Amino acid sequence: MIQNRIRSLIQLCRVVELNANDEKVQACIAAVALDDSLEVNMQGEALLSAFRSQALPFINALKRTTEFSETMAMLREELCNN
């Protein structure tokens, strides 16, 4: 499930010309991919909102979680495969 969200968010980055290899963009992708309360059609808006605000305290807190580390590993693998 998260893998599919990651793939669609990477595709969105290409469409809106966000650099998915940028660390801040990746953190936003991972945060949105982890939020299973978001409807599929809201993920793009959530990604752009997260990127615009980049609330560093929240991102830094999120980076300390195991789920974030696992999601980042999936994201990096997906980026390598593309």
Side-chain angles (χ1 to χ4, degrees), residues 26-78:
Q26 288 179 2
C28 294
I29 291 171
V32 172
L34 283 169
D35 188 354
D36 59 3
S37 71
L38 287 171
E39 303 266 336
V40 173
N41 59 345
M42 297 302 293
Q43 291 175 357
E45 186 177 325
L47 175 64
L48 295 176
S49 177
F51 180 72
R52 281 187 214 111
S53 69
Q54 293 185 17
L56 293 178
F58 295 109
I59 289 176
N60 288 335
L62 181 62
K63 285 181 178 179
R64 292 186 186 97
T65 67
T66 303
E67 293 86 356
F68 182 85
S69 297
E70 292 169 354
T71 303
M72 286 298 288
M74 283 189 269
L75 172 58
R76 289 187 183 114
E77 182 180 326
E78 197 62 42

Side-chain angles (χ1 to χ4, degrees), residues 20-31:
N21 292 307
D22 179 83
E23 185 177 317
K24 291 178 183 175
V25 174
Q26 288 179 2
C28 294
I29 291 171

Side-chain angles (χ1 to χ4, degrees), residues 1-2 9 11-13 15-16 20 24 26 30 38-39 42 48 62-63 77 79-81:
M1 187 79 150
I2 290 177
L9 291 165
Q11 291 290 17
L12 175 67
C13 285
V15 170
V16 297
K24 291 178 183 175
Q26 288 179 2
L38 287 171
E39 303 266 336
M42 297 302 293
L48 295 176
L62 181 62
K63 285 181 178 179
E77 182 180 326
L79 288 170
C80 287
N81 291 334

